[in-house]
Amino acid sequence: MRVARRLTSLPPYLFDALDAKKEEEAKKGVEIIDLGVGDPDIPTPPHIIRACCEALKDARNHRYPSYEGMLEFRQAVASWYKRRKGVSLYAEREVLALIGSKEGIAHAAIAFLDREDIALVPDPAYPVYKNATILADAAYHEMPLLEENNFIPDLWSIPPDIARRAKIMFLNYPNNPTAASVTKDFFKEVVDFAKEYDIIVFHDNPYSELTYDGYSAPSFLSVDGAIDVGIEFNSLSKTYNMTGWRIGFAVGNADIIAGIRKMKTNIDSGTFQAIQIAAIAALNGPQDCVDRNMEIYKRRRDILVECLNNVGIPAKKPRATFYVWAKVPHKFSSIDFAMLLLKKAGIVATPGIGFGKHGEGFVRFSLCVSEDKIRIACERLEKMNFEQ
Ligand SMILES: *Cc1c(COP(=O)(O)O)cnc(C)c1O
């Protein structure tokens, strides 16, 4: 059976070897502490679950939902953006419901890229930007996220001939995997650059509420002119511990939103209404659940970052996200180092190269396990010797 070329041109899955090793260690009876996945371990708040249970009983919610999402859902998104980000949106044409933001990101690439087009993608990055570009048969140009630039791309160093051919740009702050964050000044620069070269900006912002120490993550759309050039993806997944529910949204430029909507009408049939109603409860309801999450992640972050630095794995405390992006000590490759952590300490961390070649030299730890387990991980790390 021969699959399409676009499938064979997807890069190989780099975590295969690590997954196999993880199973091997688990079989030996080692208690694996998985700091690999970015998937909240904290349950969805009860008031959100209750809203869904009620909605399930209503037969009107059992039918095909609308492609763009219920108007009440889009209004809830618009007022949440106004309250939390100071951004005004027209619910009717500037908000689109998504079956998780991953779906929207992939469909956006297919909706806007032709064969000769270039997508500007950060590297390292969430793999969907690059892979959806490949699935759209388009080309990509990597924007390196380097430590010396605080993991922010140097836009004006992109060769002008590439920038002129570029149709879209993906960005993601607060960032996965580097945990970097930006101020509005960077987004102003992005708008100038996008206008200069006529580029559509897709800003992916699922960690917008996962911030610490008084930092508040801006929306791309909070900058003048941003709505002329782009949209922002956001999601209930990380903010409300709802990764399994599959609900996110896109907000911003009405023409871009219409393009993604058209794509969706031909591929899926919208988000289950009971889940949209749960999402309305999340967006309109009390937000103290988010603050409580962040207190939990903050404690885990502080324990882990302190321990990493003590044992010779340099890491900074991030201002946002539930990731810690740490430097691989000595001459290890990121894969060798991840293997060593697994073999010697039963700890899973994601090798940076899995997010792109500029991720080499780093590993990503996620904070999605209990404080107790993080403490155990730290005890195990303290017994290792990285000097050899
Ligand atoms: C988790 C994540 C997403 C996907 O979120 P869903 O809404 O669950 O699809 C998108 N982008 C980044 C950078 C993520 O880390």
Side-chain angles (χ1 to χ4, degrees), residues 38 99-103 105 125-126 128-129 172 174-177 204-207 233-238 242-244 246-249 322-323 364:
I99 308 173
S101 56
K102 182 180 189 180
E103 172 261 300
I105 294 163
Y126 184 59
V128 180
Y129 315 138
N172 162 226
N175 185 259
N176 174 10
D204 186 18
N205 204 359
Y207 299 97
F233 294 98
N234 208 319
S235 173
L236 285 277
S237 285
K238 317 285 166 58
M242 293 175 74
T243 46
R246 310 312 303 135
I247 183 156
F249 50 89
F322 46 49
Y323 303 111
R364 190 194 72 177

PDB file of all heavy atoms in Angstrom, residues 38 99-103 105 125-126 128-129 172 174-177 204-207 233-238 242-244 246-249 322-323 364, ligand 1:
ATOM      1  N   GLY A  38       3.020  17.529  27.750  1.00  0.00           N
ATOM      2  CA  GLY A  38       2.391  18.774  28.181  1.00  0.00           C
ATOM      3  C   GLY A  38       0.895  18.590  28.229  1.00  0.00           C
ATOM      4  O   GLY A  38       0.172  19.037  27.350  1.00  0.00           O
ATOM      5  N   ILE A  99     -12.141  22.376  16.960  1.00  0.00           N
ATOM      6  CA  ILE A  99     -12.116  21.099  17.690  1.00  0.00           C
ATOM      7  C   ILE A  99     -10.707  20.953  18.278  1.00  0.00           C
ATOM      8  O   ILE A  99      -9.925  20.083  17.900  1.00  0.00           O
ATOM      9  CB  ILE A  99     -12.490  19.937  16.748  1.00  0.00           C
ATOM     10  CG1 ILE A  99     -13.810  20.253  16.040  1.00  0.00           C
ATOM     11  CG2 ILE A  99     -12.624  18.622  17.551  1.00  0.00           C
ATOM     12  CD1 ILE A  99     -14.203  19.263  14.970  1.00  0.00           C
ATOM     13  N   GLY A 100     -10.382  21.856  19.182  1.00  0.00           N
ATOM     14  CA  GLY A 100      -9.004  21.992  19.672  1.00  0.00           C
ATOM     15  C   GLY A 100      -8.249  22.907  18.712  1.00  0.00           C
ATOM     16  O   GLY A 100      -8.513  22.923  17.510  1.00  0.00           O
ATOM     17  N   SER A 101      -7.294  23.672  19.239  1.00  0.00           N
ATOM     18  CA  SER A 101      -6.619  24.613  18.341  1.00  0.00           C
ATOM     19  C   SER A 101      -5.707  23.899  17.349  1.00  0.00           C
ATOM     20  O   SER A 101      -5.442  24.411  16.261  1.00  0.00           O
ATOM     21  CB  SER A 101      -5.857  25.674  19.130  1.00  0.00           C
ATOM     22  OG  SER A 101      -4.949  25.087  20.018  1.00  0.00           O
ATOM     23  N   LYS A 102      -5.256  22.691  17.671  1.00  0.00           N
ATOM     24  CA  LYS A 102      -4.409  21.943  16.740  1.00  0.00           C
ATOM     25  C   LYS A 102      -5.098  21.766  15.387  1.00  0.00           C
ATOM     26  O   LYS A 102      -4.493  21.966  14.335  1.00  0.00           O
ATOM     27  CB  LYS A 102      -4.105  20.573  17.357  1.00  0.00           C
ATOM     28  CG  LYS A 102      -3.198  19.702  16.537  1.00  0.00           C
ATOM     29  CD  LYS A 102      -2.962  18.380  17.244  1.00  0.00           C
ATOM     30  CE  LYS A 102      -1.891  17.557  16.553  1.00  0.00           C
ATOM     31  NZ  LYS A 102      -1.685  16.271  17.262  1.00  0.00           N
ATOM     32  N   GLU A 103      -6.379  21.423  15.457  1.00  0.00           N
ATOM     33  CA  GLU A 103      -7.171  21.262  14.227  1.00  0.00           C
ATOM     34  C   GLU A 103      -7.153  22.554  13.423  1.00  0.00           C
ATOM     35  O   GLU A 103      -6.937  22.553  12.200  1.00  0.00           O
ATOM     36  CB  GLU A 103      -8.595  20.856  14.639  1.00  0.00           C
ATOM     37  CG  GLU A 103      -9.615  20.815  13.535  1.00  0.00           C
ATOM     38  CD  GLU A 103     -10.496  22.059  13.478  1.00  0.00           C
ATOM     39  OE1 GLU A 103     -11.213  22.390  14.446  1.00  0.00           O
ATOM     40  OE2 GLU A 103     -10.460  22.717  12.418  1.00  0.00           O
ATOM     41  N   ILE A 105      -5.027  25.068  13.490  1.00  0.00           N
ATOM     42  CA  ILE A 105      -3.690  25.404  12.995  1.00  0.00           C
ATOM     43  C   ILE A 105      -3.409  24.614  11.713  1.00  0.00           C
ATOM     44  O   ILE A 105      -2.971  25.170  10.696  1.00  0.00           O
ATOM     45  CB  ILE A 105      -2.622  25.094  14.069  1.00  0.00           C
ATOM     46  CG1 ILE A 105      -2.807  26.009  15.283  1.00  0.00           C
ATOM     47  CG2 ILE A 105      -1.215  25.229  13.493  1.00  0.00           C
ATOM     48  CD1 ILE A 105      -2.087  25.522  16.545  1.00  0.00           C
ATOM     49  N   ALA A 125       9.919  24.286  17.725  1.00  0.00           N
ATOM     50  CA  ALA A 125       8.498  24.649  17.803  1.00  0.00           C
ATOM     51  C   ALA A 125       7.612  23.426  17.960  1.00  0.00           C
ATOM     52  O   ALA A 125       8.047  22.293  17.737  1.00  0.00           O
ATOM     53  CB  ALA A 125       8.079  25.405  16.550  1.00  0.00           C
ATOM     54  N   TYR A 126       6.387  23.718  18.317  1.00  0.00           N
ATOM     55  CA  TYR A 126       5.286  22.753  18.260  1.00  0.00           C
ATOM     56  C   TYR A 126       5.270  22.191  16.833  1.00  0.00           C
ATOM     57  O   TYR A 126       5.220  22.967  15.869  1.00  0.00           O
ATOM     58  CB  TYR A 126       4.008  23.538  18.571  1.00  0.00           C
ATOM     59  CG  TYR A 126       2.723  22.773  18.663  1.00  0.00           C
ATOM     60  CD1 TYR A 126       2.551  21.744  19.590  1.00  0.00           C
ATOM     61  CD2 TYR A 126       1.642  23.110  17.849  1.00  0.00           C
ATOM     62  CE1 TYR A 126       1.343  21.077  19.686  1.00  0.00           C
ATOM     63  CE2 TYR A 126       0.429  22.456  17.954  1.00  0.00           C
ATOM     64  CZ  TYR A 126       0.282  21.434  18.862  1.00  0.00           C
ATOM     65  OH  TYR A 126      -0.918  20.786  18.961  1.00  0.00           O
ATOM     66  N   VAL A 128       3.311  20.924  14.754  1.00  0.00           N
ATOM     67  CA  VAL A 128       2.185  21.055  13.806  1.00  0.00           C
ATOM     68  C   VAL A 128       2.421  22.141  12.750  1.00  0.00           C
ATOM     69  O   VAL A 128       1.999  21.996  11.600  1.00  0.00           O
ATOM     70  CB  VAL A 128       0.868  21.305  14.582  1.00  0.00           C
ATOM     71  CG1 VAL A 128      -0.317  21.446  13.630  1.00  0.00           C
ATOM     72  CG2 VAL A 128       0.612  20.182  15.565  1.00  0.00           C
ATOM     73  N   TYR A 129       3.123  23.234  13.104  1.00  0.00           N
ATOM     74  CA  TYR A 129       3.319  24.321  12.124  1.00  0.00           C
ATOM     75  C   TYR A 129       4.045  23.804  10.885  1.00  0.00           C
ATOM     76  O   TYR A 129       3.655  24.055   9.755  1.00  0.00           O
ATOM     77  CB  TYR A 129       4.121  25.485  12.724  1.00  0.00           C
ATOM     78  CG  TYR A 129       3.710  25.915  14.120  1.00  0.00           C
ATOM     79  CD1 TYR A 129       4.669  26.228  15.080  1.00  0.00           C
ATOM     80  CD2 TYR A 129       2.369  26.015  14.472  1.00  0.00           C
ATOM     81  CE1 TYR A 129       4.306  26.620  16.362  1.00  0.00           C
ATOM     82  CE2 TYR A 129       2.004  26.409  15.749  1.00  0.00           C
ATOM     83  CZ  TYR A 129       2.980  26.703  16.694  1.00  0.00           C
ATOM     84  OH  TYR A 129       2.629  27.077  17.954  1.00  0.00           O
ATOM     85  N   ASN A 172       4.343  31.749  18.486  1.00  0.00           N
ATOM     86  CA  ASN A 172       3.744  31.121  19.661  1.00  0.00           C
ATOM     87  C   ASN A 172       4.427  31.651  20.928  1.00  0.00           C
ATOM     88  O   ASN A 172       5.505  31.221  21.278  1.00  0.00           O
ATOM     89  CB  ASN A 172       3.892  29.586  19.517  1.00  0.00           C
ATOM     90  CG  ASN A 172       3.729  28.816  20.815  1.00  0.00           C
ATOM     91  OD1 ASN A 172       4.520  27.922  21.119  1.00  0.00           O
ATOM     92  ND2 ASN A 172       2.724  29.131  21.579  1.00  0.00           N
ATOM     93  N   PRO A 174       3.200  32.931  25.055  1.00  0.00           N
ATOM     94  CA  PRO A 174       4.269  32.142  25.670  1.00  0.00           C
ATOM     95  C   PRO A 174       4.545  30.870  24.877  1.00  0.00           C
ATOM     96  O   PRO A 174       3.631  30.231  24.381  1.00  0.00           O
ATOM     97  CB  PRO A 174       3.723  31.824  27.063  1.00  0.00           C
ATOM     98  CG  PRO A 174       2.722  32.915  27.341  1.00  0.00           C
ATOM     99  CD  PRO A 174       2.131  33.272  26.027  1.00  0.00           C
ATOM    100  N   ASN A 175       5.829  30.509  24.818  1.00  0.00           N
ATOM    101  CA  ASN A 175       6.306  29.530  23.855  1.00  0.00           C
ATOM    102  C   ASN A 175       6.431  28.110  24.406  1.00  0.00           C
ATOM    103  O   ASN A 175       6.919  27.882  25.501  1.00  0.00           O
ATOM    104  CB  ASN A 175       7.680  30.007  23.342  1.00  0.00           C
ATOM    105  CG  ASN A 175       8.217  29.134  22.234  1.00  0.00           C
ATOM    106  OD1 ASN A 175       9.074  28.289  22.455  1.00  0.00           O
ATOM    107  ND2 ASN A 175       7.713  29.329  21.033  1.00  0.00           N
ATOM    108  N   ASN A 176       6.005  27.186  23.579  1.00  0.00           N
ATOM    109  CA  ASN A 176       6.301  25.779  23.757  1.00  0.00           C
ATOM    110  C   ASN A 176       7.293  25.438  22.642  1.00  0.00           C
ATOM    111  O   ASN A 176       6.985  25.689  21.491  1.00  0.00           O
ATOM    112  CB  ASN A 176       5.001  24.979  23.603  1.00  0.00           C
ATOM    113  CG  ASN A 176       5.221  23.488  23.620  1.00  0.00           C
ATOM    114  OD1 ASN A 176       6.302  23.014  23.926  1.00  0.00           O
ATOM    115  ND2 ASN A 176       4.186  22.732  23.266  1.00  0.00           N
ATOM    116  N   PRO A 177       8.461  24.910  22.880  1.00  0.00           N
ATOM    117  CA  PRO A 177       8.953  24.310  24.121  1.00  0.00           C
ATOM    118  C   PRO A 177       9.837  25.212  24.992  1.00  0.00           C
ATOM    119  O   PRO A 177      10.195  24.775  26.077  1.00  0.00           O
ATOM    120  CB  PRO A 177       9.824  23.172  23.583  1.00  0.00           C
ATOM    121  CG  PRO A 177      10.457  23.751  22.356  1.00  0.00           C
ATOM    122  CD  PRO A 177       9.378  24.620  21.751  1.00  0.00           C
ATOM    123  N   ASP A 204      -0.208  31.549  17.888  1.00  0.00           N
ATOM    124  CA  ASP A 204      -0.756  30.430  18.653  1.00  0.00           C
ATOM    125  C   ASP A 204      -0.556  30.753  20.139  1.00  0.00           C
ATOM    126  O   ASP A 204       0.579  30.881  20.586  1.00  0.00           O
ATOM    127  CB  ASP A 204       0.031  29.167  18.233  1.00  0.00           C
ATOM    128  CG  ASP A 204      -0.527  27.906  18.846  1.00  0.00           C
ATOM    129  OD1 ASP A 204      -1.683  27.925  19.308  1.00  0.00           O
ATOM    130  OD2 ASP A 204       0.210  26.886  18.850  1.00  0.00           O
ATOM    131  N   ASN A 205      -1.655  30.890  20.877  1.00  0.00           N
ATOM    132  CA  ASN A 205      -1.542  31.423  22.249  1.00  0.00           C
ATOM    133  C   ASN A 205      -2.235  30.560  23.314  1.00  0.00           C
ATOM    134  O   ASN A 205      -2.944  31.079  24.180  1.00  0.00           O
ATOM    135  CB  ASN A 205      -2.118  32.846  22.257  1.00  0.00           C
ATOM    136  CG  ASN A 205      -1.550  33.706  23.386  1.00  0.00           C
ATOM    137  OD1 ASN A 205      -0.737  33.240  24.187  1.00  0.00           O
ATOM    138  ND2 ASN A 205      -1.992  34.946  23.474  1.00  0.00           N
ATOM    139  N   PRO A 206      -2.018  29.224  23.299  1.00  0.00           N
ATOM    140  CA  PRO A 206      -2.753  28.390  24.260  1.00  0.00           C
ATOM    141  C   PRO A 206      -2.280  28.546  25.709  1.00  0.00           C
ATOM    142  O   PRO A 206      -2.953  28.081  26.619  1.00  0.00           O
ATOM    143  CB  PRO A 206      -2.486  26.961  23.768  1.00  0.00           C
ATOM    144  CG  PRO A 206      -1.168  27.037  23.092  1.00  0.00           C
ATOM    145  CD  PRO A 206      -1.132  28.396  22.444  1.00  0.00           C
ATOM    146  N   TYR A 207      -1.114  29.199  25.904  1.00  0.00           N
ATOM    147  CA  TYR A 207      -0.609  29.378  27.277  1.00  0.00           C
ATOM    148  C   TYR A 207      -0.840  30.797  27.781  1.00  0.00           C
ATOM    149  O   TYR A 207      -0.187  31.233  28.739  1.00  0.00           O
ATOM    150  CB  TYR A 207       0.896  29.023  27.329  1.00  0.00           C
ATOM    151  CG  TYR A 207       1.142  27.584  26.937  1.00  0.00           C
ATOM    152  CD1 TYR A 207       1.510  27.233  25.650  1.00  0.00           C
ATOM    153  CD2 TYR A 207       0.933  26.558  27.859  1.00  0.00           C
ATOM    154  CE1 TYR A 207       1.680  25.906  25.274  1.00  0.00           C
ATOM    155  CE2 TYR A 207       1.093  25.234  27.498  1.00  0.00           C
ATOM    156  CZ  TYR A 207       1.471  24.908  26.206  1.00  0.00           C
ATOM    157  OH  TYR A 207       1.630  23.591  25.852  1.00  0.00           O
ATOM    158  N   PHE A 233      -4.805  31.864  17.698  1.00  0.00           N
ATOM    159  CA  PHE A 233      -5.433  30.626  18.157  1.00  0.00           C
ATOM    160  C   PHE A 233      -5.344  30.588  19.671  1.00  0.00           C
ATOM    161  O   PHE A 233      -4.321  30.956  20.251  1.00  0.00           O
ATOM    162  CB  PHE A 233      -4.697  29.409  17.587  1.00  0.00           C
ATOM    163  CG  PHE A 233      -4.813  29.278  16.097  1.00  0.00           C
ATOM    164  CD1 PHE A 233      -3.805  29.730  15.261  1.00  0.00           C
ATOM    165  CD2 PHE A 233      -5.952  28.717  15.529  1.00  0.00           C
ATOM    166  CE1 PHE A 233      -3.922  29.621  13.888  1.00  0.00           C
ATOM    167  CE2 PHE A 233      -6.077  28.609  14.155  1.00  0.00           C
ATOM    168  CZ  PHE A 233      -5.056  29.063  13.326  1.00  0.00           C
ATOM    169  N   ASN A 234      -6.421  30.143  20.300  1.00  0.00           N
ATOM    170  CA  ASN A 234      -6.367  29.932  21.741  1.00  0.00           C
ATOM    171  C   ASN A 234      -7.186  28.687  22.042  1.00  0.00           C
ATOM    172  O   ASN A 234      -7.805  28.117  21.126  1.00  0.00           O
ATOM    173  CB  ASN A 234      -6.876  31.162  22.495  1.00  0.00           C
ATOM    174  CG  ASN A 234      -6.237  31.300  23.871  1.00  0.00           C
ATOM    175  OD1 ASN A 234      -6.053  30.308  24.587  1.00  0.00           O
ATOM    176  ND2 ASN A 234      -5.886  32.515  24.246  1.00  0.00           N
ATOM    177  N   SER A 235      -7.170  28.253  23.272  1.00  0.00           N
ATOM    178  CA  SER A 235      -7.719  26.940  23.564  1.00  0.00           C
ATOM    179  C   SER A 235      -8.154  26.853  25.012  1.00  0.00           C
ATOM    180  O   SER A 235      -7.589  27.517  25.877  1.00  0.00           O
ATOM    181  CB  SER A 235      -6.626  25.901  23.289  1.00  0.00           C
ATOM    182  OG  SER A 235      -7.044  24.630  23.692  1.00  0.00           O
ATOM    183  N   LEU A 236      -9.148  26.011  25.263  1.00  0.00           N
ATOM    184  CA  LEU A 236      -9.547  25.740  26.639  1.00  0.00           C
ATOM    185  C   LEU A 236      -8.629  24.685  27.266  1.00  0.00           C
ATOM    186  O   LEU A 236      -8.639  24.479  28.475  1.00  0.00           O
ATOM    187  CB  LEU A 236     -10.997  25.196  26.660  1.00  0.00           C
ATOM    188  CG  LEU A 236     -12.202  26.140  26.444  1.00  0.00           C
ATOM    189  CD1 LEU A 236     -12.554  26.814  27.735  1.00  0.00           C
ATOM    190  CD2 LEU A 236     -12.073  27.091  25.307  1.00  0.00           C
ATOM    191  N   SER A 237      -7.826  24.012  26.431  1.00  0.00           N
ATOM    192  CA  SER A 237      -7.078  22.823  26.856  1.00  0.00           C
ATOM    193  C   SER A 237      -6.205  23.041  28.077  1.00  0.00           C
ATOM    194  O   SER A 237      -6.279  22.303  29.059  1.00  0.00           O
ATOM    195  CB  SER A 237      -6.183  22.334  25.720  1.00  0.00           C
ATOM    196  OG  SER A 237      -6.944  21.700  24.733  1.00  0.00           O
ATOM    197  N   LYS A 238      -5.324  24.028  28.011  1.00  0.00           N
ATOM    198  CA  LYS A 238      -4.325  24.205  29.055  1.00  0.00           C
ATOM    199  C   LYS A 238      -4.881  25.085  30.177  1.00  0.00           C
ATOM    200  O   LYS A 238      -4.600  24.846  31.347  1.00  0.00           O
ATOM    201  CB  LYS A 238      -3.040  24.806  28.469  1.00  0.00           C
ATOM    202  CG  LYS A 238      -2.600  24.201  27.118  1.00  0.00           C
ATOM    203  CD  LYS A 238      -1.985  22.829  27.216  1.00  0.00           C
ATOM    204  CE  LYS A 238      -1.850  22.075  25.893  1.00  0.00           C
ATOM    205  NZ  LYS A 238      -1.095  22.638  24.811  1.00  0.00           N
ATOM    206  N   MET A 242      -8.533  20.973  30.023  1.00  0.00           N
ATOM    207  CA  MET A 242      -9.548  20.350  29.162  1.00  0.00           C
ATOM    208  C   MET A 242      -8.949  19.783  27.874  1.00  0.00           C
ATOM    209  O   MET A 242      -9.610  19.779  26.831  1.00  0.00           O
ATOM    210  CB  MET A 242     -10.656  21.371  28.829  1.00  0.00           C
ATOM    211  CG  MET A 242     -11.492  21.768  30.037  1.00  0.00           C
ATOM    212  SD  MET A 242     -12.685  23.071  29.674  1.00  0.00           S
ATOM    213  CE  MET A 242     -13.916  22.160  28.714  1.00  0.00           C
ATOM    214  N   THR A 243      -7.727  19.243  27.935  1.00  0.00           N
ATOM    215  CA  THR A 243      -7.101  18.757  26.696  1.00  0.00           C
ATOM    216  C   THR A 243      -7.930  17.671  26.011  1.00  0.00           C
ATOM    217  O   THR A 243      -7.986  17.615  24.789  1.00  0.00           O
ATOM    218  CB  THR A 243      -5.684  18.206  26.961  1.00  0.00           C
ATOM    219  OG1 THR A 243      -5.740  17.363  28.104  1.00  0.00           O
ATOM    220  CG2 THR A 243      -4.690  19.317  27.234  1.00  0.00           C
ATOM    221  N   GLY A 244      -8.566  16.809  26.813  1.00  0.00           N
ATOM    222  CA  GLY A 244      -9.322  15.710  26.211  1.00  0.00           C
ATOM    223  C   GLY A 244     -10.648  16.132  25.605  1.00  0.00           C
ATOM    224  O   GLY A 244     -11.223  15.398  24.799  1.00  0.00           O
ATOM    225  N   ARG A 246     -11.352  18.650  23.578  1.00  0.00           N
ATOM    226  CA  ARG A 246     -11.163  19.143  22.217  1.00  0.00           C
ATOM    227  C   ARG A 246     -12.018  20.369  21.923  1.00  0.00           C
ATOM    228  O   ARG A 246     -12.989  20.323  21.164  1.00  0.00           O
ATOM    229  CB  ARG A 246     -11.423  18.048  21.157  1.00  0.00           C
ATOM    230  CG  ARG A 246     -10.720  16.722  21.383  1.00  0.00           C
ATOM    231  CD  ARG A 246      -9.235  16.857  21.705  1.00  0.00           C
ATOM    232  NE  ARG A 246      -8.483  17.573  20.684  1.00  0.00           N
ATOM    233  CZ  ARG A 246      -7.576  18.522  20.982  1.00  0.00           C
ATOM    234  NH1 ARG A 246      -7.292  18.852  22.223  1.00  0.00           N
ATOM    235  NH2 ARG A 246      -6.939  19.132  20.014  1.00  0.00           N
ATOM    236  N   ILE A 247     -11.660  21.461  22.544  1.00  0.00           N
ATOM    237  CA  ILE A 247     -12.283  22.724  22.154  1.00  0.00           C
ATOM    238  C   ILE A 247     -11.288  23.884  22.257  1.00  0.00           C
ATOM    239  O   ILE A 247     -10.600  24.049  23.253  1.00  0.00           O
ATOM    240  CB  ILE A 247     -13.612  23.010  22.905  1.00  0.00           C
ATOM    241  CG1 ILE A 247     -14.224  24.316  22.371  1.00  0.00           C
ATOM    242  CG2 ILE A 247     -13.435  23.032  24.429  1.00  0.00           C
ATOM    243  CD1 ILE A 247     -15.707  24.439  22.558  1.00  0.00           C
ATOM    244  N   GLY A 248     -11.222  24.617  21.153  1.00  0.00           N
ATOM    245  CA  GLY A 248     -10.374  25.794  21.078  1.00  0.00           C
ATOM    246  C   GLY A 248     -11.072  26.793  20.175  1.00  0.00           C
ATOM    247  O   GLY A 248     -12.240  26.615  19.815  1.00  0.00           O
ATOM    248  N   PHE A 249     -10.369  27.851  19.808  1.00  0.00           N
ATOM    249  CA  PHE A 249     -10.986  28.845  18.922  1.00  0.00           C
ATOM    250  C   PHE A 249      -9.922  29.686  18.229  1.00  0.00           C
ATOM    251  O   PHE A 249      -8.763  29.736  18.668  1.00  0.00           O
ATOM    252  CB  PHE A 249     -11.979  29.731  19.686  1.00  0.00           C
ATOM    253  CG  PHE A 249     -11.432  30.326  20.966  1.00  0.00           C
ATOM    254  CD1 PHE A 249     -10.770  31.541  20.953  1.00  0.00           C
ATOM    255  CD2 PHE A 249     -11.576  29.657  22.188  1.00  0.00           C
ATOM    256  CE1 PHE A 249     -10.273  32.086  22.133  1.00  0.00           C
ATOM    257  CE2 PHE A 249     -11.076  30.193  23.368  1.00  0.00           C
ATOM    258  CZ  PHE A 249     -10.415  31.416  23.342  1.00  0.00           C
ATOM    259  N   PHE A 322       3.764  25.642  31.348  1.00  0.00           N
ATOM    260  CA  PHE A 322       4.121  24.629  32.353  1.00  0.00           C
ATOM    261  C   PHE A 322       5.324  23.802  31.897  1.00  0.00           C
ATOM    262  O   PHE A 322       5.382  22.603  32.114  1.00  0.00           O
ATOM    263  CB  PHE A 322       2.934  23.759  32.770  1.00  0.00           C
ATOM    264  CG  PHE A 322       2.066  23.209  31.666  1.00  0.00           C
ATOM    265  CD1 PHE A 322       2.609  22.573  30.564  1.00  0.00           C
ATOM    266  CD2 PHE A 322       0.679  23.288  31.774  1.00  0.00           C
ATOM    267  CE1 PHE A 322       1.803  22.046  29.576  1.00  0.00           C
ATOM    268  CE2 PHE A 322      -0.140  22.764  30.788  1.00  0.00           C
ATOM    269  CZ  PHE A 322       0.421  22.144  29.687  1.00  0.00           C
ATOM    270  N   TYR A 323       6.275  24.489  31.247  1.00  0.00           N
ATOM    271  CA  TYR A 323       7.504  23.822  30.816  1.00  0.00           C
ATOM    272  C   TYR A 323       8.733  24.478  31.428  1.00  0.00           C
ATOM    273  O   TYR A 323       8.722  25.675  31.718  1.00  0.00           O
ATOM    274  CB  TYR A 323       7.655  23.891  29.291  1.00  0.00           C
ATOM    275  CG  TYR A 323       6.497  23.293  28.551  1.00  0.00           C
ATOM    276  CD1 TYR A 323       5.626  24.096  27.820  1.00  0.00           C
ATOM    277  CD2 TYR A 323       6.259  21.924  28.597  1.00  0.00           C
ATOM    278  CE1 TYR A 323       4.554  23.543  27.144  1.00  0.00           C
ATOM    279  CE2 TYR A 323       5.181  21.364  27.927  1.00  0.00           C
ATOM    280  CZ  TYR A 323       4.328  22.179  27.197  1.00  0.00           C
ATOM    281  OH  TYR A 323       3.274  21.636  26.544  1.00  0.00           O
ATOM    282  N   ARG A 364      13.258  19.475  27.412  1.00  0.00           N
ATOM    283  CA  ARG A 364      12.067  20.106  27.977  1.00  0.00           C
ATOM    284  C   ARG A 364      11.478  19.219  29.067  1.00  0.00           C
ATOM    285  O   ARG A 364      11.218  18.042  28.848  1.00  0.00           O
ATOM    286  CB  ARG A 364      11.018  20.344  26.883  1.00  0.00           C
ATOM    287  CG  ARG A 364       9.859  21.216  27.350  1.00  0.00           C
ATOM    288  CD  ARG A 364       8.682  21.152  26.383  1.00  0.00           C
ATOM    289  NE  ARG A 364       8.004  19.869  26.459  1.00  0.00           N
ATOM    290  CZ  ARG A 364       6.910  19.552  25.763  1.00  0.00           C
ATOM    291  NH1 ARG A 364       6.386  20.415  24.907  1.00  0.00           N
ATOM    292  NH2 ARG A 364       6.342  18.368  25.912  1.00  0.00           N
TER     293      ARG A 364
HETATM  294  C1  LIG B   1      -1.088  22.182  23.474  1.00  0.00           C
HETATM  295  C2  LIG B   1      -0.764  23.052  22.315  1.00  0.00           C
HETATM  296  C3  LIG B   1      -1.698  23.277  21.285  1.00  0.00           C
HETATM  297  C4  LIG B   1      -2.938  22.447  21.086  1.00  0.00           C
HETATM  298  O1  LIG B   1      -3.946  22.643  21.892  1.00  0.00           O
HETATM  299  P1  LIG B   1      -5.348  21.987  21.606  1.00  0.00           P
HETATM  300  O2  LIG B   1      -6.290  23.123  21.681  1.00  0.00           O
HETATM  301  O3  LIG B   1      -5.534  20.964  22.671  1.00  0.00           O
HETATM  302  O4  LIG B   1      -5.364  21.376  20.232  1.00  0.00           O
HETATM  303  C5  LIG B   1      -1.389  24.186  20.302  1.00  0.00           C
HETATM  304  N1  LIG B   1      -0.219  24.829  20.297  1.00  0.00           N
HETATM  305  C6  LIG B   1       0.702  24.619  21.237  1.00  0.00           C
HETATM  306  C7  LIG B   1       1.977  25.380  21.167  1.00  0.00           C
HETATM  307  C8  LIG B   1       0.466  23.724  22.271  1.00  0.00           C
HETATM  308  O5  LIG B   1       1.424  23.506  23.183  1.00  0.00           O
END
